[in-house]
Amino acid sequence: MSSKKFRTLYKKYPELLTDNTTINCDEGLYVIIEEMLIAIKTYQDVNLGTTSLIPTVINFIEVKFGVLDIGYSGGDELVQHVINFAKKISFKTCEACGNIGELYCSTKWLHWSRKKTLCKQHAIEYFYYTLQ
């Protein structure tokens, strides 16, 4: 579900986020996503037209198994590194508040449960279990 906070990103980065782009994650990941978009936009502003860089378009941003999943087209190796870095940071960032987190699961049955990266406070609030 795209919150009001995420909707502002569509206005700030129209060349990266189109009307078809879906953002489906909690607000704790907002800073990571915005910093990723800033890095990609800055890189494109400098290099588009001067190199063979293909404009990057973000197709979707969502959370799968407690980690950001970002689908995109275009870009080059540096854009890929920026996106991979954002994914890696999300693995240790609470989806709810943005504090340092770790992977938790929704039930004691690890293989059949929903996984989220949460801080201890939100894991307790949402009744999530530690992975052991």
Side-chain angles (χ1 to χ4, degrees):
M1 169 169 54
S2 190
S3 72
K4 184 177 180 182
K5 202 172 188 180
F6 284 115
R7 280 179 276 197
T8 62
L9 295 176
Y10 289 93
K11 293 176 185 168
K12 287 182 180 179
Y13 308 100
E15 61 280 342
L16 298 174
L17 303 173
T18 67
D19 292 337
N20 296 328
T21 303
T22 58
I23 299 176
N24 189 11
C25 56
D26 293 331
E27 288 190 10
L29 299 174
Y30 176 84
V31 172
I32 294 172
I33 293 168
E34 184 173 35
E35 293 298 324
M36 175 194 70
L37 294 172
I38 289 169
I40 294 170
K41 182 182 182 322
T42 303
Y43 177 67
Q44 284 192 163
D45 288 348
V46 171
N47 292 297
L48 267 178
T50 60
T51 64
S52 60
L53 177 66
I54 300 169
T56 305
V57 175
I58 305 294
N59 301 319
F60 64 86
I61 301 172
E62 58 188 26
V63 177
K64 283 189 179 176
F65 307 110
V67 181
L68 271 178
D69 185 25
I70 302 164
Y72 68 99
S73 58
D76 63 4
E77 190 176 349
L78 190 123
V79 171
Q80 181 181 2
H81 287 305
V82 169
I83 290 172
N84 286 340
F85 187 68
K87 290 178 181 182
K88 287 178 184 176
I89 292 173
S90 74
F91 187 68
K92 290 291 185 180
T93 304
C94 177
E95 297 175 29
C97 66
N99 288 333
I100 294 173
E102 62 181 271
L103 197 60
Y104 287 88
C105 57
S106 61
T107 68
K108 291 183 180 179
W109 296 280
L110 174 65
H111 299 292
W112 295 283
S113 69
R114 179 174 158 78
K115 291 158 186 75
K116 279 182 154 280
T117 302
L118 300 167
C119 64
K120 191 169 188 164
Q121 177 185 348
H122 282 107
I124 292 168
E125 183 180 331
Y126 300 157
F127 300 107
Y128 270 66
Y129 298 89
T130 60
L131 296 174
Q132 295 184 14

